[in-house]
């Protein structure tokens, strides 16, 4: 059975530390890695839209000297003819050495992995999980703060459907002394199962609030998210909730000087463009980090040591 990354806890805390170390070495010495994956192939199977995740996976494999194949929408694959995800993945696993897969159905990458002869990486499954965004977030926090423990992090926006939030809360709950502040409208609170499994089971305290203004002075990290339009059941609810939080330079006046602002992107309007110039904005650095940590993950799954 190949090694799959379906959930962020498929990696131990030690392994995540090693991936961060490898990513740092890649950033410092890119030439050392440029042929590491020569003659290896990565397939990207994206049944749902993506810019950063798919292109960072592809860019990562190309920077390792490997090649890429795949599709960026279900309509251009045999899914359109009625093929099951299992058969599609079984087919691709005959051609590629590792597969990154995004799907609108929660659990689809897990189900597909049962049919694959090569490692499957979950590149986002519905409103559930997004482990490689979490690796990106952890590398970014490590680079910005120099550590992965002992800080207060606020998650703001759509905590219900935001899969990057679910995976990052789960991942951070394994580090010491992290305080979680969950900022959302009542309708978009963090799902109970995430609270139970990641926070309550481990006895980790958390605060829930609908006011970003009330908590912003306490935060070391602010993780903003977009309201996930595509997961709403009716447009009326989306329209009512979409502008719940908009981060502006004025709102940041009460924040710490060493705050780090993260966002998995894409942004709609929840961070005003004027914030991009603030030295505390780390989300464009986060985009770059996504490539380096995926390079480290591909090397690990292919068992290639440089
Ligand atoms: C996120 C996703 O797809 O879940 N984007 C990403 O991968 N960087 C966040 C989002 O779509 O809001």
């Amino acid at each position: 059975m190949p090694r799959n990354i379906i959930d962020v806890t498929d990696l131990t805390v030690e392994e995540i530390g090693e991936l961060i170390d490898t990513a740092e070495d890649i950033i410092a010495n890119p030439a050392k890695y440029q042929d590491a994956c020569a003659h290896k192939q990565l397939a990207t199977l994206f049944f749902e839209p993506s810019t950063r995740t798919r292109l960072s996976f592809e860019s990562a494999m190309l920077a390792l000297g490997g090649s890429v194949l795949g599709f960026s929408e279900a309509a251009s694959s045999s899914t359109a003819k009625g093929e099951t995800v299992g058969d599609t993945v079984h087919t691709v696993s005959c051609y590629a050495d590792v597969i990154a897969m995004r799907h609108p159905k929660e659990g689809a990458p897990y189900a597909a992995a049962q049919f694959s002869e090569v490692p499957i990486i979950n590149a986002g499954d519905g409103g559930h999980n997004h482990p490689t965004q979490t690796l990106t977030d952890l590398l970014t926090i490590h680079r910005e703060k120099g550590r992965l423990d002992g800080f207060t992090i606020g998650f703001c926006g759509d905590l219900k459907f935001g899969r990057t939030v679910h995976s990052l809360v789960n991942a951070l709950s394994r580090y010491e002394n992290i305080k979680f502040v969950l900022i959302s409208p009542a309708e978009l609170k963090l799902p109970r199962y995430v609270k139970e499994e990641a926070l309550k089971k481990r006895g980790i305290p958390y605060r829930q609030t609908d006011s970003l203004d009330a908590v912003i002075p306490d935060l070391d990290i602010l993780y903003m998210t977009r309201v996930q339009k595509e997961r709403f059941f009716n447009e009326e609810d989306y329209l009512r909730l979409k502008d719940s939080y908009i981060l502006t330079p004025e709102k940041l006046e009460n924040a710490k000087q060493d705050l780090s602002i993260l966002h998995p992107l894409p942004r709609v309007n929840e961070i005003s463009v004027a914030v991009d110039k603030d030295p505390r904005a780390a989300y464009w650095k986060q985009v770059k980090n996504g490539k380096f940590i995926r390079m480290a993950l591909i090397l690990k799954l292919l068992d290639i040591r440089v």
Side-chain angles (χ1 to χ4, degrees):
M1 185 79 176
R3 173 105 195 244
N4 303 309
I5 306 299
I6 305 298
D7 187 282
V8 72
T9 55
D10 289 334
L11 293 162
T12 64
V13 168
E14 290 70 33
E15 286 177 315
I16 289 176
E18 286 160 17
L19 289 174
I20 290 175
D21 290 347
T22 305
E24 289 290 358
D25 194 50
I26 291 169
I27 292 166
N29 309 292
K32 203 172 117 186
Y33 292 86
Q34 66 192 8
D35 299 316
C37 287
H39 313 297
K40 297 286 183 191
Q41 300 186 14
L42 164 81
T44 51
L45 310 188
F46 277 60
F47 297 86
E48 215 188 37
S50 170
T51 299
R52 273 150 295 272
T53 304
R54 184 172 62 84
L55 295 181
S56 66
F57 262 115
E58 297 191 0
S59 170
M61 192 50 156
L62 295 172
L64 291 167
S67 39
V68 295
L69 62 159
F71 53 81
S72 56
E73 50 180 352
S76 64
S77 75
S78 283
T79 304
K81 300 180 184 171
E83 186 171 58
T84 63
V85 172
D87 281 357
T88 302
V89 166
H90 193 166
T91 302
V92 176
S93 82
C94 299
Y95 308 140
D97 300 289
V98 54
I99 297 175
M101 171 184 168
R102 168 171 289 188
H103 200 281
K105 283 238 165 65
E106 290 79 7
Y110 174 78
Q114 318 307 314
F115 300 88
S116 177
E117 296 170 18
V118 302
I120 298 276
I121 305 170
N122 177 5
D125 62 326
H128 187 215
N129 277 330
H130 194 346
T132 63
Q133 180 62 45
T134 295
L135 295 176
T136 302
D137 302 339
L138 294 174
L139 174 60
T140 305
I141 294 171
H142 196 264
R143 301 207 94 205
E144 295 299 301
K145 298 280 177 231
R147 61 184 197 279
L148 287 175
D149 53 19
F151 53 72
T152 300
I153 179 166
F155 290 88
C156 179
D158 186 347
L159 311 190
K160 178 177 181 185
F161 296 116
R163 57 194 174 194
T164 67
V165 172
H166 307 161
S167 292
L168 185 55
V169 168
N170 198 6
L172 285 176
S173 69
R174 298 194 290 177
Y175 295 86
E176 295 299 313
N177 194 22
I178 294 187
K179 296 196 177 77
F180 292 84
V181 185
L182 308 175
I183 310 147
S184 76
E187 294 94 328
L188 298 178
K189 280 187 181 163
L190 192 70
R192 183 176 303 182
Y193 83 90
V194 182
K195 277 185 246 171
E196 290 289 340
E197 281 164 32
L199 302 176
K200 290 189 184 163
K201 225 191 234 174
R202 298 187 173 106
I204 297 168
Y206 62 90
R207 265 166 88 184
Q208 290 192 103
T209 174
D210 61 6
S211 169
L212 175 58
D213 292 335
V215 296
I216 205 167
D218 303 336
L219 305 179
D220 301 304
I221 298 168
L222 172 57
Y223 194 94
M224 293 295 294
T225 61
R226 105 189 136 88
V227 177
Q228 306 274 304
K229 183 179 183 188
E230 66 276 33
R231 314 234 184 266
F232 276 70
F233 299 110
N234 66 72
E235 194 170 2
E236 212 176 282
D237 286 350
Y238 171 70
L239 292 175
R240 187 166 47 81
L241 294 167
K242 73 181 176 59
D243 296 330
S244 298
Y245 303 98
I246 298 178
L247 191 65
T248 58
E250 296 68 46
K251 279 203 187 283
L252 281 165
E253 276 167 17
N254 295 325
K256 289 185 182 172
Q257 279 313 309
D258 65 350
L259 174 75
S260 297
I261 306 162
L262 274 69
H263 190 309
L265 304 180
R267 122 176 94 184
V268 182
N269 64 346
E270 59 281 352
I271 301 182
S272 101
V273 175
V275 174
D276 295 9
K277 291 198 287 288
D278 191 304
R280 294 170 287 188
Y283 35 92
W284 290 110
K285 292 189 244 178
Q286 206 177 342
V287 173
K288 285 196 181 164
N289 292 335
K291 172 178 173 177
F292 302 124
I293 202 76
R294 288 183 174 99
M295 288 172 76
L297 183 64
I298 291 168
L299 288 171
K300 180 174 178 63
L301 292 179
L302 295 180
D303 205 15
I304 293 171
R305 273 161 254 257
V306 177

